Amino acid sequence: MSIPTKVHDYSTFLQCPYNASHRILESRFQTHLVKCRQQYKGEQKETCAFNHTHIVNKSELEHHLKTCVDRKHFERSIQEPEKPISHPPPEFKPLPDGEDWDVDVQAYNPAEYATKAPVLRSLQGASKAVRKQFRNDERKRLRQLKSNGSE
Ligand SMILES: [Zn+2]
Ligand SMILES: [Zn+2]
């Protein structure tokens, strides 16, 4: 284990990952590692969990994971997701024929149903221009319903 050991208020000693008897000033730790690493060239290599381009000796991995610069990004992305998780509104499912409408009479909203139901509505007694506009709007609405449903 290479838990930093506070020896004095102003200096921190770290344990060498290659040799537990090596105690190195934190400020000299990287320099020591470079030297000490050469004596352990046969070390198995491990990949940093925060950045796959960091290949470190197995003995150094634990220390590296504690000090890795990419760890901050990693932790930030977990704690503060860029997009808040949004809950899409529940899908509207028209009740199939034969369903007992009385059961759910409180929740039934005819206007809402007519707006969302995937059927072509028609206008009775409206002028030709209004009917045409209405049909266009209806086609648009149905296309949107279709594309929403295909997701
Ligand atoms: Zn060492
Ligand atoms: Zn790393």
Side-chain angles (χ1 to χ4, degrees):
M1 297 294 278
S2 57
I3 296 168
T5 312
K6 286 270 183 195
V7 179
H8 301 291
D9 287 342
Y10 50 85
S11 60
T12 304
F13 283 85
L14 299 179
Q15 190 182 80
C16 174
Y18 294 108
N19 188 325
S21 67
H22 296 169
R23 300 249 163 204
I24 313 104
L25 261 178
E26 191 173 27
S27 57
R28 296 184 56 96
F29 191 71
Q30 293 303 329
T31 316
H32 175 91
L33 271 190
V34 171
K35 287 181 188 165
C36 205
R37 184 184 292 147
Q38 291 169 6
Q39 297 170 43
Y40 297 86
K41 280 189 174 164
E43 268 283 315
Q44 193 184 334
K45 299 289 191 289
E46 295 283 338
T47 308
C48 169
F50 306 117
N51 186 328
H52 286 191
T53 65
H54 297 167
I55 311 292
V56 298
N57 285 349
K58 194 176 183 184
S59 301
E60 286 184 43
L61 184 66
E62 192 183 329
H63 172 75
H64 176 89
L65 290 179
K66 282 179 188 163
T67 58
C68 179
V69 289
D70 288 313
R71 175 184 174 134
K72 291 190 184 73
H73 305 299
F74 189 78
E75 287 175 346
R76 196 179 304 146
S77 71
I78 286 182
Q79 288 163 6
E80 300 170 27
E82 286 182 10
K83 290 179 192 166
I85 298 162
S86 64
H87 298 282
E91 243 179 81
F92 180 83
K93 292 194 181 82
L95 292 170
D97 289 338
E99 195 77 29
D100 187 1
W101 290 93
D102 291 329
V103 172
D104 210 11
V105 71
Q106 292 296 325
Y108 176 58
N109 180 337
E112 169 105 338
Y113 178 77
T115 308
K116 292 189 177 177
V119 293
L120 204 59
R121 294 176 295 181
S122 61
L123 282 186
Q124 303 294 332
S127 77
K128 199 177 174 186
V130 169
R131 284 205 303 270
K132 191 181 175 191
Q133 178 62 45
F134 184 80
R135 272 203 304 278
N136 286 340
D137 289 346
E138 282 295 88
R139 289 206 188 89
K140 215 194 235 170
R141 186 177 65 84
L142 286 177
R143 266 203 302 278
Q144 278 168 355
L145 276 178
K146 243 181 180 176
S147 61
N148 285 346
S150 67
E151 275 174 23

mmCIF file of all heavy atoms in Angstrom, residues 18 44-48 54-62 64:
data_model
loop_
_atom_site.group_PDB
_atom_site.id
_atom_site.type_symbol
_atom_site.label_atom_id
_atom_site.label_comp_id
_atom_site.label_asym_id
_atom_site.label_seq_id
_atom_site.Cartn_x
_atom_site.Cartn_y
_atom_site.Cartn_z
ATOM 1 N N TYR A 18 7.526 -0.050 -5.848
ATOM 2 C CA TYR A 18 8.372 -1.198 -6.196
ATOM 3 C C TYR A 18 9.015 -1.812 -4.979
ATOM 4 O O TYR A 18 9.292 -3.003 -4.944
ATOM 5 C CB TYR A 18 9.471 -0.756 -7.177
ATOM 6 C CG TYR A 18 8.916 -0.338 -8.515
ATOM 7 C CD1 TYR A 18 8.899 0.985 -8.894
ATOM 8 C CD2 TYR A 18 8.394 -1.295 -9.372
ATOM 9 C CE1 TYR A 18 8.394 1.363 -10.112
ATOM 10 C CE2 TYR A 18 7.876 -0.924 -10.591
ATOM 11 C CZ TYR A 18 7.878 0.412 -10.964
ATOM 12 O OH TYR A 18 7.358 0.771 -12.169
ATOM 13 N N GLN A 44 4.880 -6.409 -15.085
ATOM 14 C CA GLN A 44 3.683 -6.502 -15.900
ATOM 15 C C GLN A 44 3.075 -5.108 -16.055
ATOM 16 O O GLN A 44 3.043 -4.330 -15.116
ATOM 17 C CB GLN A 44 2.694 -7.434 -15.193
ATOM 18 C CG GLN A 44 1.535 -7.858 -16.080
ATOM 19 C CD GLN A 44 0.547 -8.708 -15.278
ATOM 20 O OE1 GLN A 44 0.918 -9.359 -14.303
ATOM 21 N NE2 GLN A 44 -0.702 -8.680 -15.692
ATOM 22 N N LYS A 45 2.601 -4.829 -17.263
ATOM 23 C CA LYS A 45 2.024 -3.505 -17.513
ATOM 24 C C LYS A 45 0.515 -3.540 -17.313
ATOM 25 O O LYS A 45 -0.149 -4.526 -17.600
ATOM 26 C CB LYS A 45 2.327 -3.059 -18.957
ATOM 27 C CG LYS A 45 3.805 -2.935 -19.246
ATOM 28 C CD LYS A 45 4.395 -1.728 -18.527
ATOM 29 C CE LYS A 45 5.807 -1.421 -18.995
ATOM 30 N NZ LYS A 45 6.785 -2.438 -18.523
ATOM 31 N N GLU A 46 0.017 -2.439 -16.780
ATOM 32 C CA GLU A 46 -1.424 -2.307 -16.586
ATOM 33 C C GLU A 46 -1.898 -1.023 -17.258
ATOM 34 O O GLU A 46 -1.138 -0.071 -17.396
ATOM 35 C CB GLU A 46 -1.759 -2.241 -15.093
ATOM 36 C CG GLU A 46 -1.440 -3.518 -14.333
ATOM 37 C CD GLU A 46 -2.480 -4.608 -14.580
ATOM 38 O OE1 GLU A 46 -3.614 -4.273 -14.970
ATOM 39 O OE2 GLU A 46 -2.153 -5.785 -14.376
ATOM 40 N N THR A 47 -3.157 -1.013 -17.644
ATOM 41 C CA THR A 47 -3.729 0.174 -18.289
ATOM 42 C C THR A 47 -4.542 0.967 -17.280
ATOM 43 O O THR A 47 -5.332 0.409 -16.521
ATOM 44 C CB THR A 47 -4.648 -0.240 -19.449
ATOM 45 O OG1 THR A 47 -3.932 -1.128 -20.292
ATOM 46 C CG2 THR A 47 -5.084 0.963 -20.253
ATOM 47 N N CYS A 48 -4.319 2.253 -17.285
ATOM 48 C CA CYS A 48 -5.044 3.158 -16.388
ATOM 49 C C CYS A 48 -6.537 3.094 -16.689
ATOM 50 O O CYS A 48 -6.955 3.078 -17.845
ATOM 51 C CB CYS A 48 -4.525 4.579 -16.580
ATOM 52 S SG CYS A 48 -5.524 5.832 -15.767
ATOM 53 N N HIS A 54 -2.553 5.610 -20.774
ATOM 54 C CA HIS A 54 -1.618 5.510 -19.652
ATOM 55 C C HIS A 54 -1.306 4.044 -19.403
ATOM 56 O O HIS A 54 -2.147 3.302 -18.904
ATOM 57 C CB HIS A 54 -2.224 6.112 -18.368
ATOM 58 C CG HIS A 54 -2.517 7.581 -18.463
ATOM 59 N ND1 HIS A 54 -3.277 8.245 -17.542
ATOM 60 C CD2 HIS A 54 -2.143 8.502 -19.387
ATOM 61 C CE1 HIS A 54 -3.369 9.529 -17.897
ATOM 62 N NE2 HIS A 54 -2.689 9.700 -19.019
ATOM 63 N N ILE A 55 -0.113 3.653 -19.791
ATOM 64 C CA ILE A 55 0.322 2.284 -19.506
ATOM 65 C C ILE A 55 1.369 2.370 -18.408
ATOM 66 O O ILE A 55 2.407 3.000 -18.588
ATOM 67 C CB ILE A 55 0.938 1.624 -20.754
ATOM 68 C CG1 ILE A 55 0.024 1.811 -21.968
ATOM 69 C CG2 ILE A 55 1.218 0.153 -20.497
ATOM 70 C CD1 ILE A 55 -1.276 1.079 -21.922
ATOM 71 N N VAL A 56 1.072 1.782 -17.283
ATOM 72 C CA VAL A 56 2.005 1.877 -16.157
ATOM 73 C C VAL A 56 2.352 0.479 -15.663
ATOM 74 O O VAL A 56 1.600 -0.475 -15.887
ATOM 75 C CB VAL A 56 1.417 2.706 -14.990
ATOM 76 C CG1 VAL A 56 1.137 4.129 -15.434
ATOM 77 C CG2 VAL A 56 0.150 2.069 -14.474
ATOM 78 N N ASN A 57 3.493 0.388 -15.001
ATOM 79 C CA ASN A 57 3.844 -0.891 -14.394
ATOM 80 C C ASN A 57 2.816 -1.246 -13.331
ATOM 81 O O ASN A 57 2.268 -0.374 -12.665
ATOM 82 C CB ASN A 57 5.232 -0.810 -13.750
ATOM 83 C CG ASN A 57 6.327 -0.825 -14.801
ATOM 84 O OD1 ASN A 57 6.066 -1.095 -15.967
ATOM 85 N ND2 ASN A 57 7.538 -0.537 -14.391
ATOM 86 N N LYS A 58 2.601 -2.526 -13.195
ATOM 87 C CA LYS A 58 1.560 -2.979 -12.271
ATOM 88 C C LYS A 58 1.766 -2.408 -10.865
ATOM 89 O O LYS A 58 0.812 -2.001 -10.213
ATOM 90 C CB LYS A 58 1.559 -4.509 -12.224
ATOM 91 C CG LYS A 58 0.312 -5.066 -11.569
ATOM 92 C CD LYS A 58 0.301 -6.574 -11.625
ATOM 93 C CE LYS A 58 -1.014 -7.094 -11.005
ATOM 94 N NZ LYS A 58 -1.036 -8.554 -10.953
ATOM 95 N N SER A 59 2.994 -2.354 -10.428
ATOM 96 C CA SER A 59 3.272 -1.842 -9.082
ATOM 97 C C SER A 59 2.899 -0.381 -8.938
ATOM 98 O O SER A 59 2.547 0.083 -7.858
ATOM 99 C CB SER A 59 4.762 -2.003 -8.758
ATOM 100 O OG SER A 59 5.126 -3.347 -8.846
ATOM 101 N N GLU A 60 2.979 0.333 -10.065
ATOM 102 C CA GLU A 60 2.696 1.769 -10.005
ATOM 103 C C GLU A 60 1.229 2.085 -10.185
ATOM 104 O O GLU A 60 0.805 3.220 -9.972
ATOM 105 C CB GLU A 60 3.489 2.509 -11.093
ATOM 106 C CG GLU A 60 4.958 2.635 -10.798
ATOM 107 C CD GLU A 60 5.640 3.460 -11.894
ATOM 108 O OE1 GLU A 60 5.064 4.490 -12.296
ATOM 109 O OE2 GLU A 60 6.708 3.045 -12.340
ATOM 110 N N LEU A 61 0.460 1.096 -10.595
ATOM 111 C CA LEU A 61 -0.927 1.382 -10.977
ATOM 112 C C LEU A 61 -1.708 2.037 -9.849
ATOM 113 O O LEU A 61 -2.407 3.029 -10.048
ATOM 114 C CB LEU A 61 -1.625 0.090 -11.430
ATOM 115 C CG LEU A 61 -3.054 0.316 -11.947
ATOM 116 C CD1 LEU A 61 -3.038 1.128 -13.232
ATOM 117 C CD2 LEU A 61 -3.766 -1.001 -12.173
ATOM 118 N N GLU A 62 -1.554 1.480 -8.650
ATOM 119 C CA GLU A 62 -2.341 2.006 -7.538
ATOM 120 C C GLU A 62 -2.026 3.479 -7.295
ATOM 121 O O GLU A 62 -2.927 4.308 -7.127
ATOM 122 C CB GLU A 62 -2.043 1.186 -6.285
ATOM 123 C CG GLU A 62 -3.032 1.467 -5.172
ATOM 124 C CD GLU A 62 -2.687 0.699 -3.902
ATOM 125 O OE1 GLU A 62 -2.125 -0.402 -4.010
ATOM 126 O OE2 GLU A 62 -2.982 1.222 -2.826
ATOM 127 N N HIS A 64 -0.717 5.469 -9.496
ATOM 128 C CA HIS A 64 -1.152 6.236 -10.667
ATOM 129 C C HIS A 64 -2.647 6.550 -10.592
ATOM 130 O O HIS A 64 -3.073 7.671 -10.866
ATOM 131 C CB HIS A 64 -0.839 5.462 -11.952
ATOM 132 C CG HIS A 64 -1.353 6.163 -13.175
ATOM 133 N ND1 HIS A 64 -0.619 7.087 -13.871
ATOM 134 C CD2 HIS A 64 -2.556 6.101 -13.795
ATOM 135 C CE1 HIS A 64 -1.344 7.570 -14.861
ATOM 136 N NE2 HIS A 64 -2.526 6.979 -14.850
#
